[in-house]
Structures are given as structure tokens and as C-alpha cells.
Amino acid sequence: MSNPTAAMLVIGDEILSGRTRDSNMYHLAGELTKHGIDLVEVRVVSDGPEAIATATRALSDAYDNVFTSGGIGPTHDDITADSIAAAFGVPIDVRDDARALLAAHYERTGSELNSARLRMARIPDTAKLIDNPVSVAPGFTIGNVHVMAGVPAVFETMVASVLPTLTDGVPLISKTHRIDRGEGDIAGPLATLAANFDDLSIGSYPFLQNGVYGANIVIRGTDGARVDAAMAQLAKEFDL
Amino acid sequence: MSNPTAAMLVIGDEILSGRTRDSNMYHLAGELTKHGIDLVEVRVVSDGPEAIATATRALSDAYDNVFTSGGIGPTHDDITADSIAAAFGVPIDVRDDARALLAAHYERTGSELNSARLRMARIPDTAKLIDNPVSVAPGFTIGNVHVMAGVPAVFETMVASVLPTLTDGVPLISKTHRIDRGEGDIAGPLATLAANFDDLSIGSYPFLQNGVYGANIVIRGTDGARVDAAMAQLAKEFDL
């Protein structure tokens, strides 16, 4: 049986313009790997209703789980919730359960629940709220799509809220050996190793450090004994 | 007239597994913005022939330029060149011009041009080589797709080789003001500003720093005077 699959949709002009360096993809990728869920595709799109809805439909159809980040705040450019509702063809409005969360929070902090902040209570019909212990305004899950904030601290807490509700796969075991030789020197034996262990994923990730070429060889699989056996053969081959 | 568009395709299991933090997207996004080319979409896919070919075709059809990173080295998991050739339906083999570059390089450095290294001379028919001053093995351009290495130092030098060959757009002027107040407090006036300057893009990018909420307001446009006028109104509104 294969592991559950996932895709991520990063929403934000600020990533595409090079203003902001995205960190949510890296965080989510690591968390999913721990849970045995295979992240198969990531897309980054701009803050446009059509771009968001089209990508959401495509990824929701193709994968078991979709995680979005960005565009659910109170400002005029936060259009993710409405675009996702459109993608699913369901109505969206300020919802009582989300409004109650915000009302309690802003009463506690002495801020006004103004019309801008109320936008954060716009939740599509049938969606389930995602808990946000950091800043209260909830994310939501509709169908297989988990809609989360873009601010990293909030995104990360929402991921932590969602992950326990998902079906885990078999966590991947991953071992790495660094070889300080150019890939061209090691590619032949490595291809033989990969052919001998075709139940494992064996990747070579080259680097260039202080003018020296090397590669990290990463062996991944769900069977620890097989990963160890491949590692042993790798070590023997390259005198590690 | 609108600016040329671009998409990026990041190829690599190591990004999707969370092992490696991609930095090429951030670099390319910044370079394209300087050249007035709008990066509209990014996709990250695994090292699979179908995944690479499908994404390449979709992005090549939709945008003026496509930039790929990753998977053009000498090891068994480097399948990008063959997958891109398949996407365009053209033959691929070791090509004399690329082989000559590699032969000269390895003769100079005293390494053997073995069969693994020769894989890096596999270039689709009709493709134009992309210069690689860092490690010689070339990238290539086929149609509107620029195929480049994943190692950041090599990716960046290939981007520098390609950019002067493209049609530039009108560079975007972008100004930012940081406001140390929650988005909920500033969203109303900000929406009015965006409506008054609907020829500009006005984005609000929230942050959470040392427990304090704030937002960077970014105003972008191609007309410097309009950007300045919007900035002035923003400053007046928020007593900056």
C-alpha cells in the first residue's frame, strides 16, 4: 500500500516578486515526511481569484491532501477564502462560530471587531475550522483542502492542528552519506547500487563548497533493514 | 502593453522531502523583477519523467518563459534533459558541441570524461546551450524553456547567462512602509487607498515579531510618480 499524497499551494505576490523568501514549504515538507505523507507537488500562485481557484481544483483532484498558505487576513488583498469557496462552488459569508472566536479574542485584548477583522470570519459553508492558538483567526478545511495563514508562526501552529487529524503513512527512513568527490566520479557505482536496490529511492544531491565538488547520497525507504543494507554497500564501494 | 511572463519549475525530491531548502526560487524571482519580467507561477515536482514533462508542457504553453532548476547532472537520478526532450517530442543524445566543452574541461582538470560525465552532454535536438562558467556542463534552451542546474552557484550563473537574451519589460518600482500595527487596524484605510490607486498593486504583508503584530505595506507600479503619490497618501493616513 502506498502512502497518502499531498500538494501545497503557496499564495502570494510577495513570494513571486522576490520580496519574501518562503519558509512554509520547507516546514510543511519536513512535517509531512515525519508523518509518512508524500508531498508530491507544490505550486506558488499570485493573489488572483482565478489563479487560486484553478490551482486548488487541480491539486484537490490529483492528491489526497492539499495545504494552502497565505491570503486569509483582514486586508483587501486577502482573497483566499473567497477563491477557495468559488473553487468548491459553495457559498461563503461571516460564520457564527468563527465570529464568536474573534469576538471573544478582541474583547479580551480591547481591540474593536471592525469590518476588516470580521473578514477573517468569512468561512465557506461546510468547512471545518482549523485551530489557531497564536492569533485566534481560524483556518479551515473544506473537502481535502486545508487553508492556512501565511505568517510562518501561524502557519506552523495550524499545520500542528491539522496533522493529527490525517491518516499517516509509513514514515520514510532516510540516511545520508556525504562524499567529497564530484558526481562524475561516483555516478557509475551509484547507478549499480540503485539498480540493486530498486525498492529504495537513492538520490545524489551535488554541492559546491569552497570550490570543492561533492554530493550527499540519500537513501530512502520504509524498510530500515534494506536502507541499512544499501548504506553498507555504499560505504564499502566508496571506502567511507 | 503588459510585461513578459515567466514560470519556474523546480525539479527535485530533496525539496519535496524537506531535506533541502530551495533558494533558487528566491534568486530567480528577484532577478526577473529587476528585468520587468513577471514571475506568475512556480511549480515544484519530483524527479519523475511524467511529472517533469507534464509540468513543462503546461507552463511552456501558458507563459512567455519557463525556467527549470535541477536534475541535469551525471547521476542516474538526473533525468531532466530526457524528460524535457520528451515534453517537446524531440530526439536527445550526446551532442558534439556539449561533448567538446566537457572534453576540454576534463582534459584541463585531469579527470576522465567517463560515461557518467558524458550524460551531461545529452542535449535535445534544436536546443541552444546555456553557458556555465562555474562548472562547464551546459544548460540549454529549447523553445521558451531554459533548463538549468540545481546547485545554487551554477543555477545563478546560468540565470545570468540567459537573462540578457530575453525581452525585458518595464521594471516594477516597489516601495515599502512598515507599520507596527495589526492588519485589522489598518485594513479599512488601506482598502480605500487601493481603490483610489487601482492602477497600482498595493499589498499588505503581515508579520509577528517578538509578540507584536505589524505589516509591511508594499506599493508597486511602473509609474514612479503614481507610486510616490500613493506612498504620500499612505504616510498621511498613518502618520508615518
Side-chain angles (χ1 to χ4, degrees):
Chain A
M1 231 183 57
S2 56
N3 280 340
T5 59
M8 180 180 188
L9 178 62
V10 178
I11 295 156
D13 290 343
E14 75 277 21
I15 311 286
L16 293 168
S17 72
R19 201 193 149 268
T20 301
R21 188 188 288 265
D22 171 69
S23 68
N24 292 333
M25 175 168 80
Y26 180 68
H27 175 78
L28 181 67
E31 292 299 305
L32 291 176
T33 295
K34 281 185 218 157
H35 284 259
I37 298 173
D38 294 344
L39 182 62
V40 182
E41 182 172 350
V42 178
R43 295 194 191 179
V44 187
V45 299
S46 62
D47 302 311
E50 256 319 302
I52 297 170
T54 303
T56 298
R57 273 190 297 261
L59 298 175
S60 169
D61 287 349
Y63 304 106
D64 296 328
N65 303 284
V66 179
F67 300 84
T68 81
S69 75
I72 61 167
T75 58
H76 63 282
D77 54 342
D78 289 310
I79 59 167
T80 296
D82 283 74
S83 306
I84 302 267
F88 280 93
V90 303
I92 180 169
D93 206 339
V94 170
R95 226 171 68 176
D96 288 343
D97 52 354
R99 182 213 298 260
L101 289 173
L102 295 175
H105 173 65
Y106 289 114
E107 190 173 320
R108 209 161 45 235
T109 61
S111 300
E112 184 203 353
L113 179 49
N114 57 22
S115 63
R117 292 197 168 104
L118 256 187
R119 275 173 62 77
M120 295 190 288
R122 288 180 70 79
I123 305 287
D125 279 11
T126 76
K128 192 175 163 302
L129 301 186
I130 297 175
D131 194 30
N132 169 7
V134 170
S135 55
V136 178
F140 60 85
T141 296
I142 180 166
N144 61 348
V145 180
H146 311 285
V147 177
M148 300 180 290
V151 174
V154 183
F155 177 80
E156 290 168 19
T157 198
M158 287 183 177
V159 169
S161 299
V162 168
L163 278 177
T165 70
L166 304 180
T167 305
D168 282 15
V170 182
L172 218 53
I173 293 155
S174 171
K175 297 205 171 173
T176 302
H177 255 306
R178 174 184 162 134
I179 301 182
D180 283 326
R181 292 160 66 183
E183 279 193 309
D185 284 328
I186 62 177
L190 208 59
T192 307
L193 185 74
N196 290 345
F197 290 87
D198 62 0
D199 53 326
L200 304 178
S201 149
I202 302 185
S204 173
Y205 304 112
F207 59 80
L208 175 56
Q209 207 168 52
N210 305 322
V212 176
Y213 289 91
N216 285 299
I217 311 305
V218 181
I219 303 185
R220 300 186 191 93
T222 52
D223 180 341
R226 290 288 289 166
V227 171
D228 287 343
M231 261 302 160
Q233 193 170 316
L234 179 76
K236 196 173 153 202
E237 185 72 54
F238 293 107
D239 271 340
L240 297 174
Chain B
M1 230 181 63
S2 56
N3 279 340
T5 59
M8 179 180 190
L9 179 61
V10 178
I11 295 156
D13 291 342
E14 74 278 23
I15 312 285
L16 293 169
S17 72
R19 203 195 147 267
T20 302
R21 189 190 287 265
D22 170 70
S23 67
N24 292 333
M25 174 168 81
Y26 180 69
H27 176 78
L28 182 67
E31 291 300 303
L32 291 177
T33 295
K34 282 184 213 155
H35 283 259
I37 298 173
D38 294 343
L39 182 61
V40 183
E41 183 171 348
V42 178
R43 295 193 193 181
V44 187
V45 299
S46 62
D47 301 312
E50 257 317 301
I52 297 170
T54 303
T56 299
R57 274 190 296 262
L59 298 175
S60 169
D61 287 348
Y63 304 106
D64 296 328
N65 302 284
V66 179
F67 301 83
T68 80
S69 75
I72 62 168
T75 58
H76 64 282
D77 54 343
D78 288 310
I79 58 166
T80 296
D82 283 73
S83 306
I84 302 267
F88 280 93
V90 303
I92 180 168
D93 206 340
V94 170
R95 225 170 69 175
D96 289 343
D97 51 355
R99 183 212 299 262
L101 289 173
L102 294 175
H105 172 67
Y106 290 115
E107 190 173 321
R108 210 161 45 235
T109 61
S111 301
E112 184 202 354
L113 180 48
N114 57 20
S115 63
R117 291 197 168 102
L118 256 186
R119 276 174 61 79
M120 295 190 289
R122 288 180 69 78
I123 304 285
D125 280 10
T126 76
K128 193 177 166 296
L129 300 186
I130 296 174
D131 193 30
N132 169 9
V134 170
S135 55
V136 179
F140 60 85
T141 296
I142 181 166
N144 61 348
V145 179
H146 311 285
V147 178
M148 302 180 290
V151 174
V154 183
F155 177 81
E156 290 168 20
T157 197
M158 288 186 176
V159 169
S161 298
V162 168
L163 279 177
T165 71
L166 304 180
T167 306
D168 283 15
V170 181
L172 217 52
I173 294 155
S174 170
K175 296 205 171 172
T176 301
H177 256 306
R178 172 185 163 135
I179 301 181
D180 284 327
R181 291 160 65 183
E183 278 193 309
D185 283 330
I186 62 178
L190 208 59
T192 307
L193 185 74
N196 290 344
F197 290 87
D198 61 1
D199 54 325
L200 304 177
S201 149
I202 302 185
S204 172
Y205 304 113
F207 59 80
L208 174 57
Q209 207 169 52
N210 305 322
V212 176
Y213 290 91
N216 284 299
I217 310 305
V218 181
I219 302 184
R220 301 186 190 93
T222 51
D223 179 342
R226 289 287 289 165
V227 171
D228 288 343
M231 259 304 161
Q233 192 169 318
L234 179 74
K236 197 174 151 201
E237 185 73 55
F238 292 107
D239 271 338
L240 298 172

